[in-house]
Each structure stands twice: as C-alpha cells, then as structure tokens.
Amino acid sequence: MSHSRGTSTDTPEPESALDRVKSWYHVPALLLVFGFMLWNRARNYTNFIVDGEVIFSGTDPWYHYRSTMFVVENWPATMPFDPWTRFPYGNRSGQFGTLMDQVFGTISIVIGLGDPSAHTVAMVALFAPAVMGAVAAIPTYYVGRRLAGRIGGVTAAGILALSAGLFLQRSVAGVYDHQVAEGLLQVTSVLAVMVAVSVAERDKPIYEQFLDRDVPALRASVGYAVLAGLAISLYLWTWPPAVLLLGILGVFFLLWLTLEFVRGKSPEHVAISGAVMMTTVAVLQLAVIRRLTISATDHTLLQVLLAAVIAGGCVFMAWLARYVEANDYDRNLYPVVVGGTLAILAVLSAVLTPDLFSYFVDQVLRVVGFTQNPGATTTSVGEATPLQDPSRLYQYHGLALFAAIIGAGFVLFNQLADSEASAEQFLMVVWFAFILAASFTQIRFGVYLVFPVAALSAVAVDYVVRWTDFSFEDGVEAYEVITIVSVVLVLFGTLVLVSPTALAVGGGAGPGEEPAAWTEGMEWLDENSPEEGVYGTGGNGTLEYYGTYADQEDYDYPEGAYGVMSWWDYGHIITVQGERIPNANPFQQGSDAAANFLLAPNETQANGVLETVDEDDETPAETRYVAVDWKMANTYGQGGGKFFAPPRFYDVSNVSESDYYGTIRNRQNPQQYMNYRTQDYYDSMVVRLYEYHGSAKEPQSASQPFVYVVDWDQATTRNGQNIRASPEDGSPAVKRFRTMEAARNFTESDGTAQIGGFGAQPGERVPALEHYRFVGSSETSAYSSGAHNQFQLIESGFGQLPSQRSTTGDCAANQTSMPVGNQTYCMSDAAAGTMDHTNPAWTKLFERVPGGTIEGTAPANTTVEASVPMRNNVTNETFTYTQRVDVGSDGQFEMTVPYSTTGYDDWGTEEGYTNVSVRAQGAYEFSVPVNPQASIPLNGTAEVTEGQVVGEDGSATTVNLSAPDNDQTTETTTDTSTNETSDGTTDGSASGDTSTTDGGETATPNTVARPAAEP
C-alpha cells in the first residue's frame, strides 16, 4: 500500500513541449542574438587585411596595438612611459595600455604558444572588438531580465543586436579601440550594482551586524557589493575617465537614500551596499595609481578620492537618517539637511580650493552640460563635439528610444505609487538620464546609450505584456496576440528598416582610404630614413622600440633621435607604422606646436617653432621630418579636409578659419559651394609643402598663363543671413585674365573680388623654401579619394574647367581620372594642374635639412632664378623647384637650396641620412630673366651635392652669370592673338577660357614686354 502511494505521489507529470519552450526559449534566442552580433561585426574582416598586413580603422587602434605588443614583449607589465610619441618629451600612456590591452596581449601569447608574431597579435586585435561587442549581449540580457523577466531580457538583447548606433560602429572588426570595452564593462558594472542593491534590499544589513560580526547575515550583501566594486574597478582599469559612472552612482545613492527615508523606510541597507562597493573601488584603484594628481585621463587620485567621497556620503546619509529618526524630527527635513550640507561643502571647496572646484564644474559641464567646451580640443575632436542632429538618435535606435522614455516614465510613476518599488529600476532611470545628456553633450558617449535604451524598452514591453494579461496558462486571446505582435513590429521594425541598419553598418565596415595610404607613406619612412638614435651619426639606434622606460615628465633623447612633425591626428600611425616619433599625437599633445608650424606664414617662423621643441642639451635631438597629406591642405571639412582645425590651436596670434578661406555659394543652387582661399592660406607651410614642394609659386607663369580672379556678390538668405554668392549678373564666380594688369583693374573696380584664391593659384608670389625638401610619398594618390574628387569637381565647375563623366570608367592619356562614388570623371591634366599644382600623392614626406649654399656673380641689381627638374621615383611625378634671389650692388648673390643633384648614394640610411626617392633629373639651371645689358637671358648650370645639403660638406657651389661685353637692348614681343585658348577654342566655349575686363567684356589684344614677374 505504501509502495503504491509513493509511486503515485513521486512520479512527476511529463513536461509538455509548451512548458519546455517557456522554460528554455531564451537560450536559443540569446544564442541567435550572440551569433548574429558576432557575424555582423566580423564578416568584413578581410577588408582590413591588405597585402597580408592588418590595417586598423581610425587612429587610436594603432596605439592600442602598440600597447598590446608591449604586453606581449613584457608580460604581464603594461607600458609605463613611452618616448616613442610626443617628441621631445615622451608621454605616459594613460588610458591606453590598460586592462584591455593586457587581456588581449595575454590571449595573443596563448594563441601564439608563448611567442606570438606581430601578425598574430594584429589578428587578435582585429577580431577583439567584434568579440567584445557580441559578448555585451549577455549582461544586456540579464539587465533586461532583472527588470522585465525573460521576455524583457530577450527584448533588450534583440535591441542591442539591431541598433546601428555608436556601439555597433565601434565594435566592428578592425576598430581596436577602448570604446567597445567601455560599453561592455559599463553595462556589466551597472548589472553588478543592480544585483548588489537588490540583495541589500532583500537581506537588509544594518550597522550592528558589523559590530556583532554576523558574517552569515552579511555575507551576501557584502559579497555582492564587493563584486560590484570589482566590476567598476575593471571598468576604471580599462578607461580611467570611467569616473563618469562613479558620478552617476553618486547621484543615484543621493537620490535613492533620500527618497527611501522620506517615504518612511530605512536607507541604511542600500547605503551599506554603496559604502562597501565604493570602498572596494577606492582600494583597488590605489593598486594602479600612477600619479598623485587630479586627472580623469590617467590613474590618479581622482578615481580614489571620488569613490571614497561617495562611500563616505553613503555612511553619512545612513547616520543622518538614524539621527533624524532617533530625535523624532520631521522626515521632510532630511533632504533639506542633505542638500544644505552639499551646498556648504561646494562653497567651501570653491573658496578653499578654487582650482579643484573649477575642475569638477568644468568636467560636469563638459560631459553632461548640453554645451560645447569652447576649447580648441573639443571643437576639433569629432567625438567630443555635441550632437548637432538629434534625429540621428532615432536613426540609430528607432522607436526603441521612445519606448525607453515611456519605460522610464512607468518606472518613475511606480516609484511614486509603490513604496516597495525596487532600487535597481530607479538606478536604470538615473543611468538613462545621464547617458542621454552625455550623448547630447559629446557624441562619443552615444556608445553607451543603447544599453539603457534596450533595458528600459524591455520595461515598456513588460508593461504591455502585463496589461494584456498575456499568459499561455489562461489561454491566448486574439487581441493579446495582436497587441504583442504590434509592439514587436513597431519596436524592431524601425531598427530593421530605418537607415542606417545594423546590417548596413556591418556590411560597410572597412578601414577607409586614409589608414592604407598613410601606411604606404609610413612604410617608406621606416625603410628610407635612419633609425631613431642614428640620424647624422651612422651608429646604432639607442631607443628600444618596446623598451621599458621610467615614468618622467621630460625624456632626455639621445643624439641622433628625431621627431616627425605632422598634424596630431596621425601621431599614432607615425609611431606604429613608421616606427618614428611624432611631435603631436591623438592625445592632442603637441597640437599647438603642430598648428604653429603648419600655419607659419614664413620659413623663419616655422624654423622657430621647431627650435622651441628641439632639445638644446649636450646631445641635441631635433625634428627632422614633416609628414603632410591632402586633407591637411584641404579646406572642405565635409569632404574630409582638416585645414579648419589648426587655426583653432594656433597661438602665435589670434586667427580663425576665415583668415584663410571663405565660402561662395552657387546662386542658382545654394547647396553647392566652393571655398576660395586668401593669400595667408598659400603662404602657410602646409600648403607650401604639399602643393608646391617648397618651390616658389607665381600667380602667372609659362605653365599657368592665366591670372585667376575670384568674384562674388553679397546676398541675403531667407532667414536673414548674409552670405557670399556667385555674381548676380550670371557671370562665373571664377574668372580668367591673360595679364595681371587686367586682373588688377577688374578687382579694383569690382570691390568684391580678389586675385588668386582658386585651386592652387595664389594671388601673390609664394617664395621658395630653403630648408625643406620633398623626399618620399605614398603610392596612393589623393585622386583615389571620392571625397577629394567631389569637391575638386565642384570647384572646377565654378572655374569653368571642363570635366566629363566617363561611361567606360577610363580616361585618356592626357586626362586625370577622378572617381566619385561609382562614377568616374575625366579632367584634362592642365585643368587638374590648376586645381593641384603638383600631382597629389596622398601622403608626402619632407626632410628638414641645412641646405646647400650657392654663391655667384651676376649683373648688379638684377634677379637670379635657379631651377632644377625633380622626379618622385615612388609615383613618377615630375616637378621643378625654383628659387629667386636678388643680386646686390656689388654683383654678388647667395642662396640656400634644399635639393641636391648628385651624391645620393654617398649619404643614405647607413650614414644616418635619408635614402631620398625624390631626385634631380639634371643640374641647377641659373638665369637672369631680365638683363638690362643684354637682350638674351644669362644662363649657367651647377651641381649641388647631397653632402652639401645635409651639412656634411660645408663648401659652397659657385656660379658665374657675368654679362657679355656687347650691349644689346631688351627684346619685346607683341601679343596680337585673339582671346584664344591653348586648345584653339575662343572665350565662352566649353573650355571655359574667359578673359574678361570689368563688365564682362572680352579683353582687347595687348602689346606687352616679356619681363618676368616681380620677385
């Protein structure tokens, strides 16, 4: 009998298929989400492998790769100090070389069986962001599950998978940056805090239990709080500016503990959890503190003190609650006392430590102030600028963003209506509010936004499910199914249909054109310049690339070390790909010096900038190279140009972008515009290097017979804005004249016109450089960039320079191919030469040299012109370097030239100099274009050796241009041609050759002498 009863009661009913689905549906759903996220992020990985080499996207991934390689070479240590950036000081790696690099360096060692190759490490770094991005689905699921059950967890993970926002964009393969690690670790930290405070609410720990050492009662509350502190510490170890999360948690504890006490409950339980949690953070941050300063960008006292202050604040608020309750004071006084205490502390801080107070205020406004910090750094760093277009949040998150706002409203209403509402739900609202504000203030914080959006959307879905009373046990009604399906379609439909979609972002992942082109240039620099510590010495390099260097403020570089000047965007690529030391880097270090050099209006000032950063001790180390690309000389920021940025850092005088260029809009199509340039633009070092290779440039020459004039009229838009627009009479905004006199007459009579400023054509003569020579470049041309070509074609249209779309994708031999999107345009080489004076290799390398001295004699009070034909053997581009010098009354002249003509093989990298790829195709030719004593120019030739240019040979080259004995008169020629272009078409034809005078009339023939332009 007993056996029969036991059988009937012990045998469970078999689990139905529906029960199994209800119990386990989240597992395959989560696996599907994880698999999709990993696939979508990694599927384009081959785009990042070029000729067997990994090419990362952006700039920061290069330095993270270097930091990871350092871990591999020095495991388990991370890089304490790096002299391979920010010449001549060096730099502490700060937020780089931290936990993320340590983890993936260790993984590389395991995969490489203890000795991974650089390629193995690069491949690990290539896939690391995709893996981290996919793993983020796990904590996101559990955050959603804690708030809204399994369906909430699946909803949250699904939204994360389909969001096309910054987290996806920063977690595709090839973007080996800390931002993806930030997102993963922040959501993990928030999940850990949610668990800790919920356990504290459940177990209700109190102070007396600590006195009684009641370990069993405290174990869970303290244990989970410590784990939460550990999770937060891992986040801080990866990215020190994660103090943002400490601030969010500080506000959460302040508001929640106050709310709990005012509504009649004890705040002590959660306060204990917060105190333990933050004490753990403070202690663990002491383990990695590097500097006893206050800074968010490195492991400093800031992280320790802020965590300690929050811990102390939790203890104070718990004590204050007991004090108010013990003395039977009105509970509503509690927030008054707390707020008053904070106000008093703020006033005392402002009075006693004004710098510290200002620092915290600035940091708060900089992160969540909805305003842009006016500093040059934040206005020039794309990710630090505020969100200009709020609709982008909808494009990234679809209706999930609005669902999250609704979910936050439900939570807040529940907090007011239910005194038993949980702390973790309130935490989610505080988190969402801060991250949303931060996303508007700096777009880079949008990388976090998807997580609270996903979690609070799950809350909204949960409310809908509960409202419909959806349950399999009670039967499913049609309206319930319709409601749930509608919510799902609305919530996920916008994520799938609104551009950009997650699939589009994943499918479009690639390194872009810039890193590959710079890689070519840096490979040239690595192979053709002397190693660091060898320049000019011919010895062995003394700087170990992955060496361990003591942390210091100013590294003492050895003789033969040198810097490479460039804009700060490219510093990490110079360090990693070129294995050379940049003066400026993406930490924005050296940015002022870089701007001052690139915008220097003359060579003397540029040299002075470099002299201020060169070391002046017994073993001097100097800046020897300059690296520039087309973007640095390009004024179209929308097309990738970067010229707009240096004026914001230039501190020699007060300048702005408007001092260098302005905008003229097409009157018929205001969306189309061109940027005209001022003479200051053409006089800047970056333009003189990139466009002219250090040669002099005339507004008019034999190769460029026209003088260009930029003409505009003032116009007013519908909203009352005054703009420059193309001329009202319908004439072109860019006009051409055959003589400088005609151009000057037009500008003087017009009033809103200037000579030059179109393409590479200045309005005044740009003198030659004496100490900077073009030595190498990338093979890739700027013409391979659609962004470059798009604005070149638009601008050439303003100048009536013909171009046509190619139906075959090919251009004729005398045409320049300019791809834009999936179309190819063809422009004549002559027209392209007007837009770019030299063939625009993407990246160009210049060397700073003492220069060779040329001394000579010539007729007194004349002008000597020296020229030498050059060829870049990387691209087969040819150009001519020219320089002019005035002859004194004694008939003597002297000039310094940066280009040699012979002796290249005598002074290569083994001797500590450059294996130059840009070499002369003949000797220097000298002439006196206008000689008052002879009808024919005086000519001469001379060689300049490489030893003279690099300073190893102090002798001077001599040349004699003495006048002949016979006396002849100056020859003049008569220009009797009509206004006919070189291709035979007359003015107004399709060639766009428009020689005009004031009023647009055709210029009359001119009888002109043929002297050279003024020096």
Side-chain angles (χ1 to χ4, degrees):
M1 181 73 70
S2 62
H3 176 75
S4 176
R5 187 173 58 231
T7 301
S8 62
T9 58
D10 293 342
T11 301
E13 294 184 6
E15 188 178 29
S16 67
L18 182 59
D19 290 334
R20 286 194 294 271
V21 169
K22 288 166 51 182
S23 300
W24 297 101
Y25 75 91
H26 62 287
V27 175
L30 190 57
L31 288 174
L32 180 63
V33 166
F34 178 86
F36 169 77
M37 292 176 65
L38 183 60
W39 167 80
N40 191 39
R41 285 162 166 77
R43 59 186 168 127
N44 269 13
Y45 79 93
T46 55
N47 290 351
F48 296 88
I49 303 175
V50 179
D51 296 331
E53 182 178 359
V54 175
I55 304 296
F56 296 108
S57 177
T59 57
D60 287 352
W62 292 101
Y63 201 81
H64 274 296
Y65 166 73
R66 168 166 170 74
S67 300
T68 304
M69 279 296 301
F70 183 92
V71 173
V72 170
E73 297 287 339
N74 300 273
W75 192 88
T78 56
M79 189 185 305
F81 181 82
D82 190 6
W84 284 83
T85 190
R86 196 196 176 195
F87 181 86
Y89 305 103
N91 178 59
R92 166 157 179 75
S93 58
Q95 55 190 298
F96 290 75
T98 51
L99 181 63
M100 185 185 82
D101 306 290
Q102 197 171 39
V103 167
F104 288 104
T106 304
I107 292 173
S108 299
I109 292 174
V110 173
I111 294 175
L113 302 179
D115 187 23
S117 66
H119 181 72
T120 297
V121 178
M123 291 298 292
V124 170
L126 174 66
F127 286 102
V131 173
M132 287 188 285
V135 168
I138 299 173
T140 303
Y141 165 79
Y142 280 105
V143 168
R145 178 174 173 172
R146 293 193 64 82
L147 296 173
R150 287 175 181 167
I151 192 171
V154 172
T155 299
I159 291 173
L160 176 65
L162 295 176
S163 170
L166 290 183
F167 183 73
L168 171 59
Q169 297 169 27
R170 297 295 188 271
S171 60
V172 294
V175 188
Y176 186 49
D177 198 356
H178 49 258
Q179 289 190 3
V180 58
E182 292 174 45
L184 170 62
L185 291 174
Q186 188 180 89
V187 68
T188 302
S189 298
V190 170
L191 172 62
V193 174
M194 292 172 66
V195 174
V197 297
S198 65
V199 170
E201 288 185 312
R202 182 195 68 192
D203 293 352
K204 296 180 171 48
I206 58 175
Y207 173 66
E208 285 75 13
Q209 290 175 318
F210 287 90
L211 295 179
D212 297 337
R213 300 182 180 180
D214 189 356
V215 174
L218 294 172
R219 181 180 290 114
S221 297
V222 173
Y224 281 106
V226 170
L227 288 176
L230 175 60
I232 297 169
S233 295
L234 294 176
Y235 179 27
L236 286 165
W237 287 349
T238 299
W239 192 58
V243 287
L244 166 65
L245 180 59
L246 295 184
I248 294 173
L249 293 177
V251 172
F252 160 71
F253 286 120
L254 173 67
L255 297 178
W256 178 256
L257 298 182
T258 301
L259 179 62
E260 283 285 87
F261 186 74
V262 168
R263 60 189 179 188
K265 301 175 66 177
S266 173
E268 186 170 349
H269 320 308
V270 173
I272 287 175
S273 179
V276 173
M277 185 188 307
M278 290 300 156
T279 300
T280 302
V281 172
V283 171
L284 292 177
Q285 290 310 301
L286 283 172
V288 296
I289 194 170
R290 298 295 184 181
R291 293 183 177 178
L292 300 179
T293 57
I294 300 295
S295 173
T297 58
D298 204 347
H299 297 292
T300 66
L301 288 172
L302 177 63
Q303 292 84 3
V304 177
L305 292 179
L306 189 55
V309 167
I310 297 173
C314 289
V315 172
F316 169 76
M317 293 184 71
W319 169 84
L320 180 63
R322 284 199 173 199
Y323 181 82
V324 170
E325 190 173 22
N327 290 275
D328 201 22
Y329 293 130
D330 186 350
R331 285 178 175 263
N332 292 319
L333 289 175
Y334 184 81
V336 176
V337 175
V338 171
T341 303
L342 289 175
I344 293 172
L345 292 175
V347 171
L348 289 176
S349 176
V351 173
L352 300 178
T353 57
D355 291 340
L356 183 62
F357 179 78
S358 297
Y359 174 82
F360 277 102
V361 171
D362 290 343
Q363 291 301 309
V364 170
L365 294 177
R366 181 170 173 264
V367 175
V368 294
F370 290 94
T371 58
Q372 179 169 312
N373 188 304
T377 297
T378 52
T379 58
S380 300
V381 181
E383 66 179 31
T385 56
L387 182 67
Q388 301 292 345
D389 183 10
S391 67
R392 184 171 296 180
L393 296 183
Y394 172 72
Q395 295 172 349
Y396 289 162
H397 308 295
L399 290 177
L401 177 65
F402 300 100
I405 296 173
I406 294 172
F410 283 145
V411 169
L412 291 178
F413 177 79
N414 191 45
Q415 292 292 331
L416 297 176
D418 184 4
S419 62
E420 300 299 322
S422 67
E424 57 184 349
Q425 286 192 337
F426 186 73
L427 169 62
M428 195 57 49
V429 174
V430 174
W431 185 32
F432 175 57
F434 270 90
I435 297 303
L436 186 61
S439 300
F440 274 96
T441 307
Q442 289 190 30
I443 58 176
R444 63 107 48 218
F445 291 113
V447 76
Y448 301 127
L449 185 59
V450 65
F451 299 107
V453 164
L456 287 170
S457 295
V459 171
V461 170
D462 179 57
Y463 270 87
V464 172
V465 171
R466 285 192 286 166
W467 174 73
T468 59
D469 195 25
F470 184 84
S471 173
F472 287 107
E473 285 84 355
D474 299 333
V476 178
E477 300 289 341
Y479 82 92
E480 296 174 345
V481 175
I482 293 174
T483 302
I484 299 300
V485 171
S486 298
V487 169
V488 171
L489 289 178
V490 169
L491 193 60
F492 290 98
T494 51
L495 293 172
V496 174
L497 299 176
V498 175
S499 180
T501 64
L503 283 171
V505 172
E513 304 161 319
E514 184 174 85
W518 268 86
T519 295
E520 291 177 0
M522 292 303 99
E523 287 177 348
W524 184 96
L525 184 65
D526 183 27
E527 296 170 1
N528 295 281
S529 65
E531 295 181 5
E532 291 286 354
V534 174
Y535 193 98
T537 67
N540 295 320
T542 57
L543 278 178
E544 187 179 352
Y545 189 61
Y546 289 116
T548 300
Y549 300 89
D551 191 358
Q552 52 198 287
E553 293 294 332
D554 187 355
Y555 184 77
D556 185 16
Y557 287 89
E559 182 180 8
Y562 57 89
V564 178
M565 176 60 74
S566 187
W567 189 231
W568 58 261
D569 288 17
Y570 306 111
H572 294 337
I573 295 179
I574 293 171
T575 296
V576 178
Q577 293 293 80
E579 294 194 9
R580 299 298 180 262
I581 309 172
N583 293 75
N585 57 39
F587 304 132
Q588 291 90 53
Q589 295 167 333
S591 53
D592 291 347
N596 294 343
F597 175 84
L598 296 172
L599 296 182
N602 55 68
E603 187 171 10
T604 300
Q605 183 172 316
N607 291 335
V609 172
L610 297 187
E611 288 168 3
T612 60
V613 298
D614 292 342
E615 291 200 334
D616 56 1
D617 53 21
E618 296 180 358
T619 57
E622 301 179 1
T623 300
R624 299 290 186 178
Y625 295 92
V626 181
V628 297
D629 71 347
W630 70 266
K631 291 188 175 185
M632 293 163 62
N634 188 281
T635 61
Y636 294 96
Q638 298 89 334
K642 297 179 183 289
F643 191 91
F644 73 92
R648 302 179 183 181
F649 290 83
Y650 187 77
D651 61 9
V652 177
S653 60
N654 185 21
V655 300
S656 66
E657 295 97 302
S658 62
D659 292 306
Y660 298 95
Y661 62 91
T663 297
I664 299 175
R665 295 197 173 273
N666 188 324
R667 188 176 294 272
Q668 284 70 42
N669 181 13
Q671 297 302 315
Q672 192 177 82
Y673 66 93
M674 67 160 281
N675 286 340
Y676 71 92
R677 292 79 157 172
T678 68
Q679 187 62 30
D680 286 344
Y681 167 85
Y682 295 102
D683 287 336
S684 66
M685 282 293 291
V686 64
V687 175
R688 294 169 72 180
L689 291 171
Y690 186 82
E691 288 289 357
Y692 310 135
H693 298 167
S695 176
K697 180 68 172 75
E698 307 290 343
Q700 186 178 27
S701 64
S703 62
Q704 180 54 59
F706 299 106
V707 179
Y708 284 86
V709 169
V710 179
D711 184 24
W712 66 87
D713 286 338
Q714 296 294 336
T716 303
T717 63
R718 292 180 179 178
N719 59 7
Q721 181 183 7
N722 292 321
I723 63 170
R724 295 181 179 92
S726 56
E728 192 172 5
D729 61 9
S731 62
V734 179
K735 299 175 172 62
R736 296 193 295 186
F737 297 85
R738 290 192 178 277
T739 67
M740 180 62 73
E741 181 182 6
R744 287 173 177 161
N745 289 338
F746 178 84
T747 57
E748 289 173 1
S749 62
D750 183 88
T752 56
Q754 68 169 39
I755 297 175
F758 172 69
Q761 311 308 313
E764 302 173 12
R765 182 176 188 270
V766 178
L769 299 177
E770 298 179 343
H771 301 286
Y772 299 87
R773 63 174 180 175
F774 184 27
V775 291
S777 72
S778 62
E779 293 183 27
T780 300
S781 169
Y783 289 135
S784 67
S785 169
H788 172 277
N789 299 338
Q790 180 179 8
F791 283 94
Q792 291 285 76
L793 291 169
I794 291 174
E795 189 167 319
S796 66
F798 277 85
Q800 293 188 315
L801 298 179
S803 61
Q804 65 277 348
R805 182 180 300 175
S806 171
T807 57
T808 64
D810 298 321
C811 296
N814 61 345
Q815 293 180 325
T816 297
S817 175
M818 307 183 79
V820 177
N822 58 1
Q823 298 290 337
T824 298
Y825 293 82
C826 300
M827 181 183 292
S828 69
D829 290 342
T834 301
M835 303 303 300
D836 288 293
H837 181 65
T838 54
N839 188 352
W842 192 298
T843 308
K844 299 182 180 181
L845 286 305
F846 296 83
E847 183 181 15
R848 175 191 178 196
V849 291
T853 302
I854 299 175
E855 298 174 348
T857 59
N861 303 318
T862 57
T863 298
V864 172
E865 181 176 275
S867 63
V868 59
M870 305 296 300
R871 174 183 291 275
N872 176 8
N873 292 325
V874 176
T875 62
N876 292 322
E877 169 198 5
T878 59
F879 65 96
T880 299
Y881 170 84
T882 62
Q883 184 184 151
R884 286 183 176 179
V885 64
D886 293 331
V887 182
S889 58
D890 59 355
Q892 304 293 315
F893 72 89
E894 179 179 306
M895 63 172 58
T896 301
V897 294
Y899 290 100
S900 59
T901 59
T902 64
Y904 297 110
D905 295 336
D906 297 332
W907 301 101
T909 55
E910 292 184 359
E911 290 72 32
Y913 293 102
T914 308
N915 179 28
V916 296
S917 293
V918 182
R919 301 193 175 193
Q921 301 302 293
Y924 274 92
E925 297 182 359
F926 301 86
S927 64
V928 181
V930 179
N931 181 10
Q933 299 152 349
S935 60
I936 57 174
L938 302 175
N939 298 302
T941 61
E943 303 283 2
V944 177
T945 68
E946 181 75 358
Q948 290 174 302
V949 167
V950 300
E952 290 286 354
D953 182 353
S955 65
T957 294
T958 59
V959 62
N960 184 2
L961 301 176
S962 298
D965 294 335
N966 58 321
D967 184 22
Q968 300 183 29
T969 59
T970 302
E971 179 188 12
T972 64
T973 60
T974 302
D975 181 5
T976 59
S977 64
T978 61
N979 294 320
E980 186 177 73
T981 63
S982 58
D983 61 1
T985 58
T986 57
D987 292 340
S989 69
S991 71
D993 175 10
T994 309
S995 296
T996 63
T997 60
D998 189 16
E1001 296 179 359
T1002 303
T1004 57
N1006 295 285
T1007 300
V1008 295
R1010 291 295 188 185
E1014 296 180 1

